[in-house]
Amino acid sequence: MSSTLHGWRRRVTVAAIGAAALALGTISAPLAAAQEIPGPDEIVTSPNMKHELNIPQTAPLANSTSTGTDLAFQGRYAFQGNYDGFTIYDIKNPKKTKILTQVLCPGSQNDVSVTGNLLFLSTDSRRSDDSCTSVAQNDGSLPYWEGIKIFDISDKRAPRYIKSVETACGSHTHTLVPSKDRRTAYLYVQSYGPSTTIAKCQPPHDLISIVEVPLRNPTAAKVVSTPVLFPDGGYDGPDTGSGTSGGVDTSGCHDMTVYPEKDLAAGACMGDGVLFDISNRTAPRVINRVEDTVHFAFWHSATFNNAGTKVIFTDELGGGGLATCNAAIGPDRGADGIYDIVGRGDQRKLVFRSYFKIDRYQDDSENCVAHNGSLIPVPGKDIMVQSWYMGGVQVWDFTNSAHPKKIGFFERGPAADPNTGGGTWSAYYYNGYIFSSDLGKGFDVLSINDPRTNPAKFVHMDELNVQTQGNYYRW
């Protein structure tokens, strides 16, 4: 399948893929045995993974406020969000990746997506106005702006800011959703944290904002719908925040992933995991909702398998700031939850199968918890690469939902300089390499050489927004 919005296409014959897949039964070198925690900033990997390159943060995105966030890809380019703006990298030769341009435009989190000549940026902090020279406006009773910014990236060396769209409670994250005729991009804007002290973010906030972007006239972008997803308010338990116990009340969604071809979306909505029907793009409809009041603290993100028959939900225990990869927390909290989608139509349900968490304990100074990842496109297998903040990058197999298996890892030891710590925010597979956005250390390029993942090297993508999933392979 090829499209302007998620652009998956084949570049080899079925026979070539089939031949490569024969290697799946080969036994690869075992992962490195559990060892002591690495030294400060020391890089360690499993034998099947290699750290190819690091590009540190550089000015103007190298301030105390500069934090690397999400990634998107298009052709020979990678786009990295940053609390202070975004960077475009030339990754034509991944081992010689270089910065093409940087845009200074403060406004957390600045999560990014791309389609065609457009780039979308999420602003989830109150700013004095919608410009790229705005300043923080933390008093919610004073005039402020937050929402979506749109850039024209037809010239990758000189992106142009062309439009802003204000959204309720800002845009913590957003998901790019193509219209069925491919003429329009919809942005599902996720936000949360309402308060009576914030003028344009009043409780309850059990909704998402949907921004419509006409691709031929993007400056006409506007909010066209604000569907209430939780008429009953969603999860309402003993809210203890996103710390190391209890859950957090649902007041919106943190992240949504869509599978447009299947008219499905999976929402990680604070206290709820949700399966949606999105056949009507501007009116998502809840099919099934699950809660985990024992193990999950904060439903953070979601990933479908390629067949659209499973969902991985992540739990951001500790809000991404605590050390939760240790014996005291254990293997089932701050983990991934693997759910099968069972049934048909409106009778589909999310059925829990197992948890998965990295088994390498981290230092008490290292924030570590499940975070952003993507599929590695291996035909017939469900394999994922995933960030774990200072727990590093993990590659793992969930083909058997009840018995996930680790494949490989990359990580750094505790930060030598706490000001450049933070770990990997997003780790995504794109055209043969793994690219990682680090909160404080910039941009990493990794490779993996393993018979279980090598068939993915025959699958080529023209464009990748990880929260907009497509079928990467068809026999």
Side-chain angles (χ1 to χ4, degrees), residues 73-363:
F73 303 87
Q74 185 182 79
R76 63 185 284 179
Y77 305 106
F79 305 82
Q80 181 187 30
N82 183 293
Y83 272 50
D84 282 334
F86 65 91
T87 300
I88 302 178
Y89 297 90
D90 185 334
I91 58 170
K92 181 178 181 180
N93 183 342
K95 295 181 182 180
K96 296 182 179 180
T97 293
K98 58 186 179 181
I99 294 175
L100 187 68
T101 190
Q102 295 182 292
V103 174
L104 180 64
C105 194
S108 63
Q109 297 180 149
N110 278 343
D111 277 6
V112 62
S113 68
V114 295
T115 185
N117 290 326
L118 299 177
L119 178 146
F120 306 104
L121 210 61
S122 280
T123 299
D124 188 37
S125 55
R126 293 182 293 281
R127 310 295 300 181
S128 56
D129 56 53
D130 64 352
S131 73
C132 284
T133 57
S134 67
V135 296
Q137 174 54 275
N138 294 320
D139 187 337
S141 68
L142 297 178
Y144 67 87
W145 180 92
E146 54 183 345
I148 292 286
K149 297 186 177 86
I150 304 175
F151 290 79
D152 182 320
I153 54 169
S154 51
D155 182 351
K156 301 296 188 294
R157 295 181 180 275
R160 293 187 301 112
Y161 180 20
I162 60 172
K163 174 70 174 179
S164 71
V165 180
E166 188 171 29
T167 57
C169 295
S171 175
H172 192 69
T173 59
H174 72 268
T175 303
L176 185 65
V177 189
S179 64
K180 295 188 177 184
D181 63 8
R182 305 289 172 175
R183 295 178 180 177
T184 303
Y186 293 102
L187 305 180
Y188 287 4
V189 175
Q190 295 98 47
S191 55
Y192 60 94
S195 170
T196 56
T197 65
I198 305 175
K200 291 179 278 190
C201 187
Q202 294 287 304
H205 182 72
D206 299 313
L207 55 82
I208 62 171
S209 296
I210 300 180
V211 175
E212 179 184 76
V213 185
L215 295 179
R216 294 184 179 180
N217 184 22
T219 58
K222 61 182 179 181
V223 174
V224 293
S225 178
T226 54
V228 174
L229 306 179
F230 306 100
D232 65 352
Y235 175 73
D236 184 20
D239 186 355
T240 57
S242 54
T244 56
S245 63
V248 59
D249 290 349
T250 298
S251 60
C253 289
H254 180 277
D255 213 337
M256 292 177 69
T257 293
V258 297
Y259 202 140
E261 180 182 336
K262 296 182 179 295
D263 287 333
L264 284 177
C269 301
M270 303 180 70
D272 294 90
V274 189
L275 186 68
F276 298 93
D277 179 305
I278 60 166
S279 52
N280 182 340
R281 297 290 194 255
T282 60
R285 184 170 57 83
V286 174
I287 300 174
N288 188 230
R289 200 171 86 198
V290 291
E291 296 170 351
D292 184 343
T293 60
V294 175
H295 296 102
F296 264 50
F298 189 93
W299 297 70
H300 176 274
S301 55
T303 303
F304 288 101
N305 68 335
N306 186 59
T309 58
K310 304 176 185 178
V311 181
I312 304 297
F313 288 107
T314 67
D315 173 23
E316 196 181 43
L317 178 70
L322 299 181
T324 66
C325 296
N326 52 46
I329 297 298
D332 297 339
R333 298 165 61 213
D336 297 316
I338 305 170
Y339 287 76
D340 285 350
I341 301 174
V342 177
R344 296 182 178 182
D346 287 351
Q347 302 306 310
R348 285 173 288 188
K349 296 185 181 300
L350 294 162
V351 178
F352 172 77
R353 297 302 188 201
S354 66
Y355 298 106
F356 176 81
K357 189 175 182 180
I358 63 173
D359 60 0
R360 303 180 318 282
Y361 290 158
Q362 304 294 302
D363 184 89

Side-chain angles (χ1 to χ4, degrees), residues 8-69:
W8 302 90
R9 65 178 173 86
R10 291 180 293 176
R11 68 175 181 187
V12 296
T13 64
V14 170
I17 289 269
L22 292 176
L24 289 174
T26 305
I27 302 299
S28 64
L31 297 182
Q35 299 176 0
E36 294 182 0
I37 292 170
D41 286 344
E42 178 186 1
I43 291 175
V44 295
T45 70
S46 54
N48 54 2
M49 291 187 68
K50 182 181 179 182
H51 182 232
E52 300 286 358
L53 180 71
N54 171 259
I55 299 179
Q57 290 180 329
T58 58
L61 308 184
N63 305 304
S64 60
T65 56
S66 298
T67 298
T69 60

